[in-house]
Amino acid sequence: MFTSVKGARPIGVLRATGKQAALANAVGFCLEDAPASDSDLAQEVLVVKALFYSGFIKSPLSQKRLTQDSVELYCEAIGNPIPEIQWWFEGNEPNETYAQLWDGARQDRVKINATYNLHSTSTIYIANLTSDDSGMYECRASNDPDRNHLSKSPKVKWIRSQANVFVIERPDIEVHVSSVSGKLILTCNMTAPYPAIEGHKWMHGDKTLQTDMESSVFTSYTIEGKKEEHSGVYECVYETSPVIKGQVNVSVAPQVMTYKKSEHGNEGDTGVLTCKNPSFPPVTSWLWYKNGQEPIINGSGRYIINSSGNKTELRILKLNIEEDAGDYHCNGSNFYGFGGATVNLRVRSRLAALWPFLGIVAEVLVLVTIIFIYEKRRKPDEVLDDDDGGSAPLKSNATNHKDKNVRQRNAN
């Protein structure tokens, strides 16, 4: 049973469960029983009365991190009015005291984001951690009007929630890539013993390639195939607290290929030729040139070259049949070598689109001519056949009449 606080102003009526009542009490709300005369409520009804205090509904959690990693702490508070949230830090040095943290502190490695809507939320993010970042981080909240006054003491103290951040020195990991009998072998070896290794995992992007439960500082992964076919960034992950990762780069010269081996364009239009490099690392420099000619310079004449990382594009404005048709070569290079590909450009006349229609018209004309000639030659023979067919029935009728007369005379 909760008792009311004298002078508190009710802000609403609700059916409160045990958890809701505990939360309301924790953040500075007071609860009391509703009037007994209210017969519509079959269960205990509580009236929530707003107090001046603020309280946390989410507190930052202690974390372990490695040097060069990042850490994020989160804090959430409610109250009436909405409280302000600040972040403070106390290091591990004996004489070190709390100091307030600001957005952009520690050479801009500290980022603080806060929102004040129905309640207060704040997040602190620290990048590229060093051992000096180890210590106690404190989230403070207050809604006292005099909380930041230089001479007045606040009536309500700041409430605080703390979290420890432990920054551990990152161990060195030796990585190696070797090719043996058509296989690619990737290895990671932690140079110093590390406690509580519960297993290993090999990753390529978001894909898990291999896992084990061994506690060794050494781990390896074998790939079937050539190095050029499996270039990229691989990770060996040690299952520790915190997780330790080593990066293994399988690097090759550019494996350049074209989007299409042959491109077509109409005279006067813009031709587009494209090459790409799917291997690692990316191409650092691209070159385009035509057979037997100097490299094409971007912006010269009718040529425009757009290159970005592993893709390059050559645009040829106002295509010309005689000048632009032929083979074009794209070459890409990086620290490990260079590679190239060839694309053939065919330029069609503006009338090329009409050729199918003209072909159909020609076929129709030839067929009409053949039919006309055939009909012309066939017509005289058909006339003669019609004349012969008309005289035959007359002869037959005369013979029939003659035979009839002979039979009649014989009867007489």
Side-chain angles (χ1 to χ4, degrees):
M1 184 71 64
F2 296 92
T3 57
S4 63
V5 174
K6 187 176 181 180
R9 179 174 58 85
I11 61 170
V13 177
L14 55 84
R15 301 175 187 269
T17 64
K19 289 184 179 180
Q20 291 170 331
L23 176 61
N25 189 46
V27 300
F29 285 97
C30 179
L31 306 173
E32 72 170 6
D33 287 343
S37 59
D38 192 350
S39 58
D40 293 335
L41 300 180
Q43 59 182 346
E44 185 180 25
V45 178
L46 302 173
V47 179
V48 181
K49 298 188 174 182
L51 294 181
F52 196 68
Y53 307 114
S54 59
F56 292 111
I57 55 177
K58 285 188 179 178
S59 298
L61 301 176
S62 297
Q63 301 181 40
K64 287 182 181 180
R65 288 291 184 269
L66 296 172
T67 52
Q68 303 172 21
D69 282 350
S70 61
V71 68
E72 185 175 80
L73 302 175
Y74 182 78
C75 188
E76 196 168 336
I78 61 174
N80 185 21
I82 296 173
E84 175 192 0
I85 292 180
Q86 295 180 359
W87 288 96
W88 292 69
F89 171 75
E90 183 183 38
N92 294 328
E93 295 298 326
N95 298 325
E96 193 168 354
T97 59
Y98 276 100
Q100 187 174 358
L101 293 173
W102 305 91
D103 187 54
R106 299 179 185 175
Q107 282 122 19
D108 207 31
R109 292 189 298 115
V110 175
K111 301 294 181 184
I112 297 176
N113 181 44
T115 59
Y116 300 95
N117 195 359
L118 298 177
H119 58 277
S120 307
T121 61
S122 182
T123 303
I124 183 170
Y125 175 85
I126 307 170
N128 196 20
L129 290 170
T130 67
S131 56
D132 294 335
D133 296 320
S134 292
M136 183 75 71
Y137 289 80
E138 193 172 81
C139 174
R140 299 183 181 182
S142 176
N143 55 8
D144 192 306
D146 298 327
R147 60 186 177 274
N148 294 317
H149 203 282
L150 297 177
S151 58
K152 288 184 181 180
S153 297
K155 300 179 181 65
V156 180
K157 291 184 178 180
W158 288 80
I159 59 171
R160 307 180 182 192
S161 183
Q162 298 173 335
N164 272 308
V165 174
F166 304 95
V167 182
I168 304 170
E169 194 68 30
R170 179 182 293 275
D172 291 331
I173 299 177
E174 292 181 351
V175 300
H176 186 66
V177 180
S178 59
S179 297
V180 180
S181 302
K183 297 180 180 180
L184 199 61
I185 302 175
L186 316 182
T187 62
C188 287
N189 186 29
M190 199 180 296
T191 56
Y194 196 88
I197 298 176
E198 299 178 356
H200 311 90
K201 184 164 56 176
W202 281 89
M203 305 281 295
H204 182 46
D206 295 330
K207 184 179 180 181
T208 301
L209 305 173
Q210 174 182 290
T211 59
D212 64 57
M213 304 296 290
E214 298 177 5
S215 60
S216 172
V217 295
F218 177 85
T219 180
S220 66
Y221 176 66
T222 302
I223 302 174
E224 298 285 345
K226 297 181 180 179
K227 187 176 183 180
E228 290 75 15
E229 298 171 352
H230 300 281
S231 65
V233 178
Y234 295 80
E235 282 186 330
C236 55
V237 182
Y238 289 83
E239 300 289 357
T240 57
S241 180
V243 171
I244 300 173
K245 297 180 181 180
Q247 182 173 302
V248 185
N249 295 333
V250 179
S251 304
V252 297
Q255 307 296 302
V256 178
M257 60 178 62
T258 60
Y259 272 26
K260 293 181 180 178
K261 292 185 178 180
S262 180
E263 293 282 358
H264 299 78
N266 295 324
E267 185 179 19
D269 292 345
T270 298
V272 181
L273 310 179
T274 306
C275 289
K276 61 179 181 179
N277 171 49
S279 60
F280 177 86
V283 171
T284 56
S285 177
W286 285 101
L287 280 178
W288 281 93
Y289 62 94
K290 194 178 177 183
N291 272 346
Q293 298 183 10
E294 295 294 323
I296 298 172
I297 300 175
N298 185 23
S300 63
R302 295 176 290 112
Y303 299 110
I304 299 175
I305 300 175
N306 294 319
S307 300
S308 58
N310 279 337
K311 182 180 177 181
T312 182
E313 185 180 85
L314 172 65
R315 290 179 175 269
I316 307 173
L317 308 178
K318 298 180 180 179
L319 288 173
N320 184 286
I321 294 180
E322 297 179 357
E323 297 179 7
D324 297 327
D327 290 335
Y328 289 80
H329 303 274
C330 54
N331 275 8
S333 61
N334 59 22
F335 179 79
Y336 297 91
F338 63 90
T342 302
V343 56
N344 179 263
L345 175 63
R346 298 179 181 179
V347 183
R348 297 173 295 199
S349 170
R350 282 187 174 277
L351 299 177
L354 296 176
W355 290 344
F357 174 74
L358 295 176
I360 293 172
V361 172
E363 289 180 1
V364 171
L365 291 176
V366 170
L367 289 174
V368 170
T369 303
I370 293 172
I371 293 171
F372 177 77
I373 294 173
Y374 175 77
E375 291 292 335
K376 198 73 173 169
R377 290 181 177 180
R378 177 174 172 272
K379 194 169 184 180
D381 297 336
E382 290 179 351
V383 171
L384 291 175
D385 292 342
D386 292 342
D387 293 343
D388 293 342
S391 60
L394 295 176
K395 183 178 180 181
S396 176
N397 291 335
T399 303
N400 292 336
H401 287 300
K402 182 178 180 181
D403 292 341
K404 186 177 181 181
N405 293 331
V406 170
R407 285 195 297 269
Q408 289 177 351
R409 283 196 297 269
N410 292 333
N412 292 328

